[in-house]
Structures are given as structure tokens and as C-alpha cells.
Amino acid sequence: MSARTILIAGNWKMNASIGMAEQLTGALTAWSARDGVELLVCPPFPYLVPVNASIANSGIKLGAQSCHAAESGAHTGDISAEMLADVGCTYVIVGHSERRTDHAEDDATVRGQGDAAHRAGLTAMVCVGETEAERDADKTLDVVATQLTGSVPDGATASNTVIAYEPVWAIGTGRTPTEAEVQDVHAAIRANLAARFGNEMADGTRILYGGSMKPGNAAGLLALADVDGGLIGGASLKAEDFTAIADAAG
Ligand code: PEP
């Protein structure tokens, strides 16, 4: 296995204000970075510029929560990957289950967004994960494999792509799969990447777990062989919880 830097990513979703963003990033920049752990914050679009200024020179990375596939044009209300790069983003989340549901984004849409991210020089964080009904029907691995095939761009490399496994039923619910179940899915994701892109890409690609990761369960999840970090929603809005999760890595 090649060394993979742990990535602790905060998805703020549609939360925060200028004041809260300043407070949160102030506390995050005061956290003493640890070797081998990278922090990423993904605020709502209006806060990207001020957050970028707040985290300057801290090593904390900036990401957005979505992008459009096109570079520019008549797409009212949308934001291109190039714009995100222009304001300091190095990451963009694509295919989050809330986008798939709220905006009917399917695998082809997500793949187009991932391609756009790569075109703009961003790392695409491609989210996949099963619903509770799919898990109950024992379809988790099939669903995740289909999403990977459909959503991950052909140009994916270990440095321009991160996969986030987020069981939909675990997001914001306080419930998680068991550690063994998480490891099984992550190992299957890595095997899927190896079959399509080769062992070197698969070994080097970070696969994050997301879904009710908290300070209390982070150490166990982050210690799993194929878990290379976390995508954190609710707990990323409290600096002490987010940094406690980062501290639990390693
Ligand atoms: C998410 O939305 O990406 C997420 C993982 O949320 P939470 O941590 O709140 O479950």
C-alpha cells in the first residue's frame, strides 16, 4: 500500500454566516496541524472568498460543494469549476447524495462535473453510497459499483480524485455501518478502482468515509485499512469536534 495522506473534509452544506465562518476558520487555523493529516473546508459558495482569506498560509484546503460541467455560459445560478479554482478552491465535492436527490443529479451529471473539476485543475471528491432500502436488500456493493462506473471520470488519477463513501441512511442520522461493513465497502471500492485504473491509482487514491462521523467514532473508522479520512457534515460546524476528528486520525 502506498502512503495516503489522511484527508479530513468538512462539508458545511447550506449552513454558516460570515461571522460563523470567521469564528470557525479562526479556531481551525489555531489547531496545530499534524503530519499526514490534511484539513479541507467546503463552505457555501458565498463564503469561499472570505474563508479563503481566513485560511491563507494555514495549510487548510478550500473546496466547494458542487460545480457545473460547463466552463461558462447560459446557466443561471450555476458556478463553474474554473470559477472555483479562480477563488482559491483546490477541491470540489461532486455527487453528494443531497445533490443527487435535491437536484436530480445522476451518474452522468456527476461524471461531467468530475471532468469539469479535472479540466479546471481541481481534485474531484466523488460521493457514492447506498440508501437504507438498498442496504436492506443486500445491494450495497452493486449500487456503489454502478455509481463508481457511472460517476468517476475516465481521467481520474490518485491525485485528482478522492472517493467518499457515504451511506445515505447514515448522513445526519447518528447511525453508521459497523466498522467491518465500512471496511468491506472501502475494500470493494479500491478493488473497483484497481480493475478500471490499475493498482497504482487504486493504492494511491484516498477513500473517505462519510455519514455521522463524530469525535466518538472517528478513531475506529479512521483506523480501518481502506479508510483514508472522513467527509464530515454536522460535526464540521463545530471546530472542537472537527479538530477532535482530525486528532483521532493516526
Ligand atoms: C455529509 O453530508 O457529507 C455528512 C457526512 O453529514 P453528517 O456528518 O452530518 O452525517
Side-chain angles (χ1 to χ4, degrees), residues 141-155:
L141 296 183
D142 287 346
V143 167
V144 167
T146 300
Q147 289 177 332
L148 288 171
T149 304
S151 303
V152 177
D154 286 336

Side-chain angles (χ1 to χ4, degrees), residues 6-9 28 31-40 213-215 218-219 222 230 232 239-250:
I6 294 282
L7 177 60
I8 304 295
L28 294 184
W31 176 75
S32 42
R34 301 166 53 137
D35 277 351
V37 180
E38 188 181 347
L39 287 194
L40 165 68
M213 189 182 274
K214 310 278 180 210
L222 293 170
I232 296 125
E240 66 271 26
D241 285 356
F242 192 56
T243 54
I245 291 170
D247 283 331

Side-chain angles (χ1 to χ4, degrees), residues 32-213:
S32 42
R34 301 166 53 137
D35 277 351
V37 180
E38 188 181 347
L39 287 194
L40 165 68
V41 289
C42 302
F45 293 131
Y47 305 133
L48 288 170
V49 170
V51 165
N52 192 38
S54 307
I55 60 177
N57 305 318
S58 69
I60 299 173
K61 304 285 177 11
L62 184 70
Q65 299 172 18
S66 184
C67 67
H68 194 277
E71 190 173 342
S72 62
H75 302 289
T76 302
D78 281 311
I79 307 279
S80 73
E82 281 75 7
M83 293 170 181
L84 299 177
D86 205 20
V87 298
C89 289
T90 50
Y91 285 85
V92 60
I93 300 170
V94 295
H96 191 283
S97 62
E98 289 153 14
R99 298 289 310 178
R100 289 180 186 261
T101 303
D102 294 357
H103 298 272
E105 291 179 355
D106 60 11
D107 287 336
T109 307
V110 177
R111 185 192 277 238
Q113 294 166 332
D115 278 328
H118 295 164
R119 183 187 67 221
L122 303 177
T123 296
M125 186 184 297
V126 182
C127 301
V128 296
E130 82 286 1
T131 63
E132 186 154 30
E134 288 163 344
R135 174 162 284 268
D136 290 345
D138 218 10
K139 290 190 181 146
T140 298
L141 296 183
D142 287 346
V143 167
V144 167
T146 300
Q147 289 177 332
L148 288 171
T149 304
S151 303
V152 177
D154 286 336
T157 66
S159 55
N160 72 13
T161 303
V162 171
I163 307 296
Y165 168 56
E166 298 208 304
V168 178
W169 55 273
I171 295 177
T173 61
R175 299 162 57 209
T176 63
T178 64
E179 289 171 8
E181 287 167 342
V182 171
Q183 171 54 27
D184 279 353
V185 179
H186 279 237
I189 291 172
R190 204 173 302 286
N192 179 295
L193 296 176
R196 180 166 162 203
F197 297 102
N199 287 336
E200 198 178 327
M201 183 278 188
D203 277 352
T205 297
R206 282 147 339 148
I207 306 174
L208 313 189
Y209 170 77
S212 296
M213 189 182 274

